[in-house]
Amino acid sequence: MKLVVNEWIKLWSKKSTWVMLILMLLLVIVPAGVMKYYDESSSENWQLTSQQVIQDFEKIIEEDDLDESTGSYYYERIMMEKYRLEHNIAPNGTTMDKFMGNMLEVASMVITIFIVTVAAGIVSSEYSTGTIKMLLTRPVARWKILLSKLVTTIIFGLTLYLSAIILSAILGASLWGTAMSTPLEVIEGQVVQMDVWSSYFETFLLSFGSFFMSIFFAFLIGTIFRSSSLAIGLTLFISFMSNMVVLLLSRYEFIKYVWITHVNLNQYGTGYTPMIPGTTLTLGLTVNFVYAIIFLVITFIVFNKRDVTA
């Protein structure tokens, strides 16, 4: 615990850490102001709009030769619009939960960049500054030193997440009130009202797949090669280009068992379709878990065996 506290103090003694936190908060505050300024949701006659949507979509279905997927989309939209009219459910504009959901998506991407930067540099910087010699000559097991750095990185990422969520909730409630939206979805041919918070927390929990795997991989590269720039560049490339790589290799069976296929666990969330047919959330979690263990084992072995003077 003492080692973690020491690493935590060292982390916050850097100006870059405070810059990350401030940028994270600004990326919530600025969009809130812009969205509120351009929000035009209240004055619209939504019943007439819904009726017009129904008429337009029915005409498209009658006149066009649609494939099954496109036809299903229009049928479901018609069902949902009729449901709104029958139950007098107005399609909300910006609401507290919608704003929080949008900010969660933005925060997830930005936090990934920030935690990768921290994970890549928290070990490699000790080598570049020469403090690694003093650190490893202390009467503390090497694995404990490395573990404290890993735990500190994870806590820092969670702190950024928590800050973004709390601030977005405060701004959302202040600017749009506490009224929630009423999302609709067609399930097995029936229109149902979805629980906005279950969807929000599902997205939040699934985002931790990318969160932890990015930390573990950057930690691995930063420790082995003692280069934060290599770790940052490689990890961010995989994080943001993985979809393209997976799609290019989707014809091969082995891609199902490569961790980059499952970096984004939100593809297994409600209403989403996995990139690779036949993959499931269970498979994604299993693959990520196995690779996480491999990354951590290699990281700790290399760090424990490395010459302190290297």
Side-chain angles (χ1 to χ4, degrees):
M1 184 63 185
K2 186 177 180 180
L3 290 173
V4 175
V5 172
N6 290 338
E7 289 295 332
W8 186 251
I9 294 173
K10 285 167 58 178
L11 180 63
W12 286 101
S13 67
K14 300 177 182 178
K15 293 181 180 179
S16 59
T17 304
W18 289 99
V19 170
M20 291 179 194
L21 177 61
I22 292 171
L23 286 176
M24 183 73 263
L25 298 179
L26 286 176
L27 285 170
V28 176
I29 295 171
V30 174
V34 173
M35 291 172 68
K36 181 61 178 178
Y37 181 79
Y38 287 102
D39 193 13
E40 304 174 347
S41 62
S42 59
S43 62
E44 186 178 33
N45 189 327
W46 68 269
Q47 290 94 342
L48 291 177
T49 302
S50 290
Q51 291 171 359
Q52 186 63 49
V53 168
I54 293 172
Q55 293 175 8
D56 292 342
F57 284 1
E58 287 178 339
K59 187 178 296 184
I60 291 174
I61 292 174
E62 292 174 1
E63 296 178 354
D64 297 342
D65 185 17
L66 306 176
D67 57 65
E68 183 177 352
S69 176
T70 306
S72 176
Y73 166 78
Y74 285 116
Y75 276 117
E76 290 182 358
R77 278 297 306 275
I78 291 173
M79 291 175 63
M80 287 188 285
E81 294 300 331
K82 288 183 176 180
Y83 186 92
R84 288 191 183 279
L85 290 171
E86 291 172 2
H87 295 81
N88 196 33
I89 301 175
N92 304 89
T94 303
T95 56
M96 176 183 174
D97 60 290
K98 284 186 177 180
F99 174 71
M100 289 183 66
N102 291 336
M103 290 304 98
L104 179 61
E105 293 181 9
V106 174
S108 296
M109 293 187 291
V110 176
I111 289 172
T112 296
I113 297 174
F114 289 165
I115 60 171
V116 165
T117 303
V118 173
I122 199 167
V123 176
S124 61
S125 62
E126 301 283 5
Y127 286 96
S128 61
T129 58
T131 54
I132 189 67
K133 297 178 183 179
M134 180 181 66
L135 185 66
L136 296 186
T137 52
R138 296 168 61 185
V140 179
R142 289 192 179 190
W143 69 267
K144 290 184 179 180
I145 294 174
L146 190 61
L147 181 61
S148 68
K149 291 180 176 293
L150 178 60
V151 172
T152 299
T153 303
I154 293 173
I155 294 175
F156 174 68
L158 294 176
T159 300
L160 292 180
Y161 258 117
L162 187 61
S163 301
I165 290 173
I166 292 175
L167 181 59
S168 64
I170 293 173
L171 289 175
S174 301
L175 297 176
W176 291 283
T178 56
M180 300 293 116
S181 62
T182 310
L184 303 178
E185 190 168 328
V186 177
I187 299 178
E188 297 181 353
Q190 298 292 324
V191 178
V192 297
Q193 297 184 28
M194 304 299 293
D195 180 6
V196 295
W197 291 119
S198 64
S199 176
Y200 179 84
F201 284 113
E202 179 185 64
T203 302
F204 174 67
L205 292 175
L206 292 178
S207 68
F208 279 112
S210 174
F211 175 83
F212 281 107
M213 293 307 295
S214 296
I215 289 177
F216 296 153
F217 186 72
F219 205 66
L220 167 71
I221 302 301
T223 302
I224 292 178
F225 296 101
R226 293 175 285 183
S227 170
S228 60
S229 57
L230 175 62
I232 293 170
L234 191 56
T235 305
L236 292 182
F237 175 81
I238 291 175
S239 297
F240 295 108
M241 298 299 292
S242 59
N243 287 356
M244 183 181 297
V245 175
V246 170
L247 290 175
L248 289 174
L249 300 176
S250 59
R251 70 181 70 180
Y252 302 106
E253 183 69 17
F254 76 87
I255 198 64
K256 292 182 179 180
Y257 308 103
V258 179
W259 70 279
I260 61 173
T261 304
H262 310 284
V263 166
N264 179 21
L265 290 178
N266 281 298
Q267 63 181 303
Y268 304 117
T270 304
Y272 291 90
T273 302
M275 289 190 296
I276 304 298
T279 57
T280 62
L281 177 59
T282 301
L283 176 62
L285 290 172
T286 303
V287 171
N288 280 340
F289 179 78
V290 171
Y291 275 85
I293 296 299
I294 294 173
F295 292 162
L296 291 175
V297 168
I298 295 174
T299 302
F300 277 83
I301 288 176
V302 170
F303 189 78
N304 279 320
K305 292 184 175 295
R306 175 162 285 156
D307 186 352
V308 70
T309 61

